[in-house]
Amino acid sequence: MSAVFGGLFGLDFHAGELPYLSPTIIAAFLTVFGGIGYILLHTTGLPVLPAAGLSLLAALAVSCTVLFLVVIPLYAAQKGQALSAKKDDRMRSQSRHLY
């Protein structure tokens, strides 16, 4: 999804640079916003604008929670793993040159 929109709109960024715009966060926001909005409109009888405002707040809260508890730790783990793999490759190449 991000590759399609990146090519379509000419956006040139890597996933590690903008974790708050990751597909996971966008999908979580849209899912919660639509779900809570639908539930509020059909069960409480609230008018559209208050229901949209409450669903927006709920979607922002869930998206921020997912960002800080899931996405950022996973990016950090992935970055650490990539650095570890790079270090292992350097050590292997140095050991080949010793013999």
Side-chain angles (χ1 to χ4, degrees):
M1 182 162 99
S2 60
V4 172
F5 286 117
L8 184 66
F9 296 115
L11 301 173
D12 187 26
F13 63 87
H14 301 285
E17 294 174 6
L18 300 171
Y20 53 88
L21 287 179
S22 74
T24 304
I25 299 300
I26 294 170
F29 177 85
L30 291 175
T31 302
V32 173
F33 181 73
I36 297 293
Y38 181 83
I39 289 170
L40 288 175
L41 283 175
H42 292 288
T43 60
T44 63
L46 282 174
V48 173
L49 288 178
L54 289 173
S55 62
L56 178 68
L57 290 176
L60 287 172
V62 170
S63 296
C64 287
T65 302
V66 170
L67 176 67
F68 289 115
L69 294 181
V70 177
V71 174
I72 291 177
L74 286 177
Y75 279 148
Q78 183 181 10
K79 193 175 201 179
Q81 188 176 26
L83 292 175
S84 176
K86 194 181 288 187
K87 181 180 176 184
D88 289 343
D89 289 342
R90 273 189 266 136
M91 290 178 71
R92 285 189 196 121
S93 67
Q94 288 175 355
S95 66
R96 288 183 198 147
H97 295 296
L98 293 177
Y99 297 107

